[in-house]
Amino acid sequence: MLGFAIGFLEITWVDALDIALVAFLLYQLYRLLKGSVAITIFLGFLSVYFFYLLVKAMEMKLLTEILGQFMGVGVIAVLILFQQEIRKFLLLIGQTTVFNNENIILNRLRQNLTIHRRMDIVPIVDAVKTLSSSQTGALLVFEQRADLKLYADSGDLLDAAISKRLLVSIFSKVSPLHDGAVLIANNRICAARCILPVSERQDIPARFGLRHRAAIGLTETTDALVVVVSEETGQISMVKSGNLMHNLSIQELRTQLNSHLFHNSEEAVEARVEGIGQGAA
């Protein structure tokens, strides 16, 4: 089926679709690798491949043979070098398929099988305010659709009700649980002292330490929401999908938590009213 012609080239609509899909995949690959050390490795690997095509076209047999052996194991090399990026890409694909938790049919089934409990963010906001004013470092992880059991198992399991006093005491500098992240899921404090993956992005400013890098690293591979309190400055940050919102006020934190944690708009409005009432009190 002929779509159109450019000079002596006859391009069908299938060819145009093929080119568009390849361009889209390359763009997504660039977004995935941008700002990380993997982009440098990828460009180096691409340069070797183009050099191989060049020496092959020039019929340089010795170099073609040597580079051909290297390219023969190229798939294995890619799997080894880009295992983290491949994992991120597969997670990205999984989150956009009909099988993901945002699917309407699955949401209907979930609503029929489970009872949604609204998280009370008031003690969380109050705890973050206290930690910020005392410049106590903190890392709060909110589980959403992705299962974070692997990270919960890396710390100490608690399964406790959310309270301001408990959160402040966990992150106290004299507490044995302060080093690491607190994982909050199903309206409970599931675990403390959890170990998170550290981002390898090179575009993260040097003023952000390991807490911020760990928050970015976790949200690059999961849909979790992370709140960070800086130990050096007491500033509050929030990280979602690898994007960092820095130096938030308490009101901005409350608004962002309402926006990201509540999936029902009426529920979010109720939470905002409740938060305003608590603030006035």
Side-chain angles (χ1 to χ4, degrees):
M1 180 179 63
L2 179 63
F4 53 90
I6 302 178
F8 61 90
L9 293 178
E10 294 183 353
I11 302 177
T12 66
W13 294 112
V14 175
D15 295 329
L17 178 62
D18 189 21
I19 294 171
L21 289 175
V22 170
F24 176 75
L25 288 176
L26 289 176
Y27 173 70
Q28 293 298 326
L29 181 63
Y30 170 75
R31 286 186 57 193
L32 194 66
L33 300 180
K34 181 182 178 182
S36 69
V37 69
I39 189 67
T40 305
I41 300 175
F42 176 73
L43 292 175
F45 188 83
L46 200 62
S47 300
V48 172
Y49 178 69
F50 283 138
F51 184 66
Y52 166 71
L53 294 179
L54 178 63
V55 298
K56 184 177 181 181
M58 296 176 63
E59 298 183 355
M60 302 172 68
K61 296 182 179 180
L62 183 58
L63 273 176
T64 300
E65 182 67 22
I66 294 174
L67 293 176
Q69 294 296 326
F70 176 77
M71 300 307 300
V73 294
V75 175
I76 299 177
V78 166
L79 291 176
I80 295 174
L81 293 173
F82 301 106
Q83 53 180 324
Q84 293 294 334
E85 284 70 24
I86 291 173
R87 183 172 181 269
K88 292 178 187 178
F89 180 74
L90 293 177
L91 284 170
L92 180 64
I93 295 296
Q95 291 175 1
T96 55
T97 61
V98 294
F99 300 105
N100 106 357
N101 291 332
E102 291 182 351
N103 183 268
I104 297 177
I105 299 177
L106 292 181
N107 271 338
R108 291 289 184 180
L109 293 175
R110 182 183 295 271
Q111 290 173 2
N112 292 333
L113 294 174
T114 62
I115 299 176
H116 178 68
R117 294 183 300 168
R118 179 169 64 81
M119 179 183 296
D120 183 11
I121 67 168
V122 173
I124 297 172
V125 173
D126 289 344
V128 171
K129 182 179 180 180
T130 300
L131 293 168
S132 175
S133 61
S134 62
Q135 292 189 7
T136 302
L139 199 55
L140 298 171
V141 177
F142 298 88
E143 181 183 88
Q144 298 200 66
R145 294 184 302 272
D147 186 9
L148 302 180
K149 185 178 184 301
L150 175 65
Y151 303 105
D153 292 340
S154 69
D156 295 327
L157 300 181
L158 296 180
D159 191 24
I162 299 174
S163 72
K164 172 187 173 181
R165 291 181 180 178
L166 180 56
L167 289 173
V168 172
S169 63
I170 287 175
F171 289 111
S172 171
K173 296 177 182 179
V174 298
S175 169
L177 299 177
H178 81 281
D179 190 16
V182 162
L183 176 59
I184 298 175
N186 299 321
N187 208 17
R188 305 276 291 178
I189 299 177
C190 293
R193 208 173 61 84
C194 300
I195 301 173
L196 306 183
V198 178
S199 175
E200 297 180 358
R201 283 170 48 185
Q202 296 177 322
D203 60 342
I204 301 175
R207 67 177 183 274
F208 296 126
L210 285 178
R211 282 192 181 89
H212 293 85
R213 285 187 170 272
I216 294 173
L218 179 67
T219 59
E220 285 176 338
T221 56
T222 70
D223 63 347
L225 179 71
V226 184
V227 173
V228 186
V229 179
S230 173
E231 185 174 355
E232 289 76 18
T233 63
Q235 293 178 337
I236 303 168
S237 302
M238 179 177 291
V239 188
K240 176 71 174 177
S241 302
N243 299 315
L244 187 144
M245 294 170 279
H246 183 52
N247 198 16
L248 299 177
S249 66
I250 292 299
Q251 183 57 45
E252 289 172 335
L253 173 66
R254 181 181 291 110
T255 301
Q256 291 295 332
L257 286 175
N258 285 332
S259 174
H260 289 95
L261 295 180
F262 299 138
H263 304 291
N264 186 308
S265 59
E266 294 181 359
E267 189 176 18
V269 171
E270 292 176 4
R272 289 190 183 94
V273 173
E274 179 181 347
I276 293 172
Q278 292 285 343

mmCIF file of all heavy atoms in Angstrom, residues 18-45:
data_model
loop_
_atom_site.group_PDB
_atom_site.id
_atom_site.type_symbol
_atom_site.label_atom_id
_atom_site.label_comp_id
_atom_site.label_asym_id
_atom_site.label_seq_id
_atom_site.Cartn_x
_atom_site.Cartn_y
_atom_site.Cartn_z
ATOM 1 N N ASP A 18 6.030 2.735 11.404
ATOM 2 C CA ASP A 18 7.223 2.078 11.938
ATOM 3 C C ASP A 18 8.265 3.106 12.379
ATOM 4 O O ASP A 18 8.842 3.019 13.468
ATOM 5 C CB ASP A 18 7.807 1.161 10.862
ATOM 6 C CG ASP A 18 8.926 0.276 11.400
ATOM 7 O OD1 ASP A 18 8.987 0.073 12.624
ATOM 8 O OD2 ASP A 18 9.730 -0.220 10.587
ATOM 9 N N ILE A 19 8.505 4.118 11.547
ATOM 10 C CA ILE A 19 9.478 5.161 11.876
ATOM 11 C C ILE A 19 9.030 5.957 13.098
ATOM 12 O O ILE A 19 9.834 6.274 13.978
ATOM 13 C CB ILE A 19 9.677 6.099 10.665
ATOM 14 C CG1 ILE A 19 10.327 5.333 9.501
ATOM 15 C CG2 ILE A 19 10.525 7.306 11.046
ATOM 16 C CD1 ILE A 19 10.372 6.116 8.203
ATOM 17 N N ALA A 20 7.726 6.251 13.156
ATOM 18 C CA ALA A 20 7.205 7.025 14.286
ATOM 19 C C ALA A 20 7.352 6.254 15.604
ATOM 20 O O ALA A 20 7.727 6.824 16.640
ATOM 21 C CB ALA A 20 5.744 7.386 14.051
ATOM 22 N N LEU A 21 7.087 4.952 15.559
ATOM 23 C CA LEU A 21 7.215 4.129 16.761
ATOM 24 C C LEU A 21 8.668 4.021 17.213
ATOM 25 O O LEU A 21 8.961 4.085 18.411
ATOM 26 C CB LEU A 21 6.628 2.737 16.515
ATOM 27 C CG LEU A 21 5.108 2.662 16.387
ATOM 28 C CD1 LEU A 21 4.664 1.258 16.026
ATOM 29 C CD2 LEU A 21 4.440 3.106 17.690
ATOM 30 N N VAL A 22 9.582 3.864 16.262
ATOM 31 C CA VAL A 22 11.007 3.803 16.599
ATOM 32 C C VAL A 22 11.462 5.132 17.205
ATOM 33 O O VAL A 22 12.211 5.162 18.191
ATOM 34 C CB VAL A 22 11.850 3.452 15.356
ATOM 35 C CG1 VAL A 22 13.335 3.633 15.643
ATOM 36 C CG2 VAL A 22 11.575 2.026 14.913
ATOM 37 N N ALA A 23 11.007 6.249 16.614
ATOM 38 C CA ALA A 23 11.362 7.566 17.149
ATOM 39 C C ALA A 23 10.824 7.740 18.567
ATOM 40 O O ALA A 23 11.513 8.282 19.447
ATOM 41 C CB ALA A 23 10.813 8.665 16.242
ATOM 42 N N PHE A 24 9.609 7.257 18.809
ATOM 43 C CA PHE A 24 9.016 7.353 20.145
ATOM 44 C C PHE A 24 9.811 6.535 21.152
ATOM 45 O O PHE A 24 10.082 6.988 22.272
ATOM 46 C CB PHE A 24 7.563 6.876 20.101
ATOM 47 C CG PHE A 24 6.897 6.839 21.449
ATOM 48 C CD1 PHE A 24 6.488 8.008 22.072
ATOM 49 C CD2 PHE A 24 6.692 5.628 22.093
ATOM 50 C CE1 PHE A 24 5.879 7.974 23.320
ATOM 51 C CE2 PHE A 24 6.094 5.590 23.341
ATOM 52 C CZ PHE A 24 5.688 6.757 23.944
ATOM 53 N N LEU A 25 10.210 5.319 20.758
ATOM 54 C CA LEU A 25 10.989 4.469 21.653
ATOM 55 C C LEU A 25 12.359 5.080 21.958
ATOM 56 O O LEU A 25 12.839 5.037 23.090
ATOM 57 C CB LEU A 25 11.154 3.075 21.040
ATOM 58 C CG LEU A 25 9.900 2.201 21.025
ATOM 59 C CD1 LEU A 25 10.174 0.889 20.295
ATOM 60 C CD2 LEU A 25 9.427 1.903 22.444
ATOM 61 N N LEU A 26 12.986 5.673 20.945
ATOM 62 C CA LEU A 26 14.280 6.320 21.150
ATOM 63 C C LEU A 26 14.148 7.521 22.080
ATOM 64 O O LEU A 26 15.023 7.766 22.924
ATOM 65 C CB LEU A 26 14.880 6.752 19.804
ATOM 66 C CG LEU A 26 15.380 5.625 18.894
ATOM 67 C CD1 LEU A 26 15.852 6.175 17.558
ATOM 68 C CD2 LEU A 26 16.501 4.842 19.577
ATOM 69 N N TYR A 27 13.051 8.267 21.945
ATOM 70 C CA TYR A 27 12.824 9.412 22.822
ATOM 71 C C TYR A 27 12.621 8.952 24.261
ATOM 72 O O TYR A 27 13.166 9.554 25.201
ATOM 73 C CB TYR A 27 11.615 10.205 22.337
ATOM 74 C CG TYR A 27 11.196 11.314 23.282
ATOM 75 C CD1 TYR A 27 11.991 12.448 23.438
ATOM 76 C CD2 TYR A 27 10.021 11.221 24.021
ATOM 77 C CE1 TYR A 27 11.629 13.468 24.307
ATOM 78 C CE2 TYR A 27 9.646 12.226 24.890
ATOM 79 C CZ TYR A 27 10.449 13.349 25.037
ATOM 80 O OH TYR A 27 10.088 14.342 25.903
ATOM 81 N N GLN A 28 11.841 7.885 24.449
ATOM 82 C CA GLN A 28 11.630 7.358 25.792
ATOM 83 C C GLN A 28 12.929 6.822 26.376
ATOM 84 O O GLN A 28 13.195 6.971 27.580
ATOM 85 C CB GLN A 28 10.567 6.249 25.769
ATOM 86 C CG GLN A 28 9.165 6.719 25.421
ATOM 87 C CD GLN A 28 8.625 7.719 26.421
ATOM 88 O OE1 GLN A 28 8.911 7.642 27.606
ATOM 89 N NE2 GLN A 28 7.831 8.670 25.942
ATOM 90 N N LEU A 29 13.755 6.204 25.524
ATOM 91 C CA LEU A 29 15.056 5.716 25.983
ATOM 92 C C LEU A 29 15.943 6.868 26.420
ATOM 93 O O LEU A 29 16.634 6.790 27.440
ATOM 94 C CB LEU A 29 15.729 4.922 24.861
ATOM 95 C CG LEU A 29 17.096 4.317 25.167
ATOM 96 C CD1 LEU A 29 16.983 3.291 26.289
ATOM 97 C CD2 LEU A 29 17.695 3.672 23.926
ATOM 98 N N TYR A 30 15.913 7.967 25.658
ATOM 99 C CA TYR A 30 16.697 9.147 26.012
ATOM 100 C C TYR A 30 16.224 9.725 27.345
ATOM 101 O O TYR A 30 17.042 10.094 28.203
ATOM 102 C CB TYR A 30 16.583 10.201 24.908
ATOM 103 C CG TYR A 30 17.156 11.546 25.290
ATOM 104 C CD1 TYR A 30 18.541 11.749 25.340
ATOM 105 C CD2 TYR A 30 16.327 12.619 25.617
ATOM 106 C CE1 TYR A 30 19.068 12.982 25.709
ATOM 107 C CE2 TYR A 30 16.844 13.853 25.982
ATOM 108 C CZ TYR A 30 18.215 14.020 26.024
ATOM 109 O OH TYR A 30 18.728 15.236 26.390
ATOM 110 N N ARG A 31 14.906 9.819 27.547
ATOM 111 C CA ARG A 31 14.367 10.329 28.810
ATOM 112 C C ARG A 31 14.782 9.445 29.981
ATOM 113 O O ARG A 31 15.070 9.931 31.073
ATOM 114 C CB ARG A 31 12.844 10.398 28.751
ATOM 115 C CG ARG A 31 12.282 11.520 27.906
ATOM 116 C CD ARG A 31 10.775 11.567 28.035
ATOM 117 N NE ARG A 31 10.360 11.729 29.420
ATOM 118 C CZ ARG A 31 9.116 11.546 29.851
ATOM 119 N NH1 ARG A 31 8.176 11.185 29.006
ATOM 120 N NH2 ARG A 31 8.813 11.717 31.124
ATOM 121 N N LEU A 32 14.835 8.128 29.725
ATOM 122 C CA LEU A 32 15.185 7.184 30.777
ATOM 123 C C LEU A 32 16.646 7.318 31.182
ATOM 124 O O LEU A 32 16.990 7.208 32.357
ATOM 125 C CB LEU A 32 14.902 5.755 30.295
ATOM 126 C CG LEU A 32 14.896 4.650 31.343
ATOM 127 C CD1 LEU A 32 13.747 4.844 32.312
ATOM 128 C CD2 LEU A 32 14.788 3.289 30.671
ATOM 129 N N LEU A 33 17.509 7.562 30.193
ATOM 130 C CA LEU A 33 18.943 7.597 30.448
ATOM 131 C C LEU A 33 19.466 8.995 30.749
ATOM 132 O O LEU A 33 20.593 9.138 31.233
ATOM 133 C CB LEU A 33 19.703 7.041 29.240
ATOM 134 C CG LEU A 33 19.402 5.593 28.837
ATOM 135 C CD1 LEU A 33 20.221 5.206 27.628
ATOM 136 C CD2 LEU A 33 19.685 4.652 29.992
ATOM 137 N N LYS A 34 18.664 10.020 30.454
ATOM 138 C CA LYS A 34 19.130 11.407 30.613
ATOM 139 C C LYS A 34 19.539 11.695 32.053
ATOM 140 O O LYS A 34 18.837 11.373 32.993
ATOM 141 C CB LYS A 34 18.012 12.371 30.195
ATOM 142 C CG LYS A 34 18.407 13.842 30.291
ATOM 143 C CD LYS A 34 17.246 14.737 29.911
ATOM 144 C CE LYS A 34 17.615 16.214 30.053
ATOM 145 N NZ LYS A 34 16.476 17.091 29.733
ATOM 146 N N GLY A 35 20.701 12.309 32.194
ATOM 147 C CA GLY A 35 21.185 12.702 33.503
ATOM 148 C C GLY A 35 21.882 11.613 34.277
ATOM 149 O O GLY A 35 22.333 11.842 35.398
ATOM 150 N N SER A 36 21.993 10.386 33.725
ATOM 151 C CA SER A 36 22.659 9.295 34.425
ATOM 152 C C SER A 36 23.948 8.923 33.707
ATOM 153 O O SER A 36 24.189 9.304 32.555
ATOM 154 C CB SER A 36 21.731 8.069 34.511
ATOM 155 O OG SER A 36 21.537 7.509 33.236
ATOM 156 N N VAL A 37 24.785 8.152 34.405
ATOM 157 C CA VAL A 37 26.043 7.715 33.802
ATOM 158 C C VAL A 37 25.786 6.748 32.659
ATOM 159 O O VAL A 37 26.642 6.549 31.787
ATOM 160 C CB VAL A 37 26.936 7.064 34.887
ATOM 161 C CG1 VAL A 37 26.343 5.738 35.357
ATOM 162 C CG2 VAL A 37 28.355 6.877 34.395
ATOM 163 N N ALA A 38 24.594 6.155 32.602
ATOM 164 C CA ALA A 38 24.271 5.187 31.565
ATOM 165 C C ALA A 38 24.255 5.824 30.178
ATOM 166 O O ALA A 38 24.531 5.152 29.185
ATOM 167 C CB ALA A 38 22.918 4.536 31.863
ATOM 168 N N ILE A 39 23.935 7.125 30.087
ATOM 169 C CA ILE A 39 23.889 7.775 28.777
ATOM 170 C C ILE A 39 25.274 7.818 28.159
ATOM 171 O O ILE A 39 25.446 7.665 26.948
ATOM 172 C CB ILE A 39 23.290 9.205 28.892
ATOM 173 C CG1 ILE A 39 23.040 9.805 27.509
ATOM 174 C CG2 ILE A 39 24.173 10.087 29.731
ATOM 175 C CD1 ILE A 39 21.977 9.132 26.724
ATOM 176 N N THR A 40 26.316 7.990 28.986
ATOM 177 C CA THR A 40 27.689 7.988 28.482
ATOM 178 C C THR A 40 28.069 6.603 27.971
ATOM 179 O O THR A 40 28.693 6.468 26.920
ATOM 180 C CB THR A 40 28.661 8.426 29.593
ATOM 181 O OG1 THR A 40 28.241 9.694 30.107
ATOM 182 C CG2 THR A 40 30.070 8.554 29.061
ATOM 183 N N ILE A 41 27.690 5.567 28.726
ATOM 184 C CA ILE A 41 27.971 4.192 28.295
ATOM 185 C C ILE A 41 27.230 3.880 27.005
ATOM 186 O O ILE A 41 27.777 3.258 26.089
ATOM 187 C CB ILE A 41 27.574 3.202 29.404
ATOM 188 C CG1 ILE A 41 28.364 3.496 30.681
ATOM 189 C CG2 ILE A 41 27.798 1.765 28.962
ATOM 190 C CD1 ILE A 41 27.953 2.653 31.867
ATOM 191 N N PHE A 42 25.989 4.323 26.914
ATOM 192 C CA PHE A 42 25.186 4.064 25.719
ATOM 193 C C PHE A 42 25.801 4.732 24.496
ATOM 194 O O PHE A 42 25.880 4.123 23.424
ATOM 195 C CB PHE A 42 23.757 4.566 25.939
ATOM 196 C CG PHE A 42 22.873 4.432 24.726
ATOM 197 C CD1 PHE A 42 22.409 3.200 24.316
ATOM 198 C CD2 PHE A 42 22.520 5.559 23.990
ATOM 199 C CE1 PHE A 42 21.597 3.076 23.191
ATOM 200 C CE2 PHE A 42 21.715 5.446 22.869
ATOM 201 C CZ PHE A 42 21.254 4.201 22.471
ATOM 202 N N LEU A 43 26.243 5.983 24.633
ATOM 203 C CA LEU A 43 26.865 6.682 23.509
ATOM 204 C C LEU A 43 28.171 6.002 23.099
ATOM 205 O O LEU A 43 28.486 5.919 21.910
ATOM 206 C CB LEU A 43 27.114 8.152 23.882
ATOM 207 C CG LEU A 43 25.869 9.017 24.063
ATOM 208 C CD1 LEU A 43 26.250 10.410 24.537
ATOM 209 C CD2 LEU A 43 25.067 9.097 22.766
ATOM 210 N N GLY A 44 28.940 5.513 24.077
ATOM 211 C CA GLY A 44 30.160 4.784 23.757
ATOM 212 C C GLY A 44 29.866 3.504 23.007
ATOM 213 O O GLY A 44 30.545 3.171 22.024
ATOM 214 N N PHE A 45 28.841 2.783 23.461
ATOM 215 C CA PHE A 45 28.451 1.533 22.786
ATOM 216 C C PHE A 45 27.959 1.824 21.369
ATOM 217 O O PHE A 45 28.273 1.091 20.415
ATOM 218 C CB PHE A 45 27.349 0.848 23.600
ATOM 219 C CG PHE A 45 27.005 -0.528 23.116
ATOM 220 C CD1 PHE A 45 27.756 -1.620 23.510
ATOM 221 C CD2 PHE A 45 25.925 -0.739 22.263
ATOM 222 C CE1 PHE A 45 27.436 -2.901 23.064
ATOM 223 C CE2 PHE A 45 25.601 -2.000 21.821
ATOM 224 C CZ PHE A 45 26.353 -3.095 22.219
#
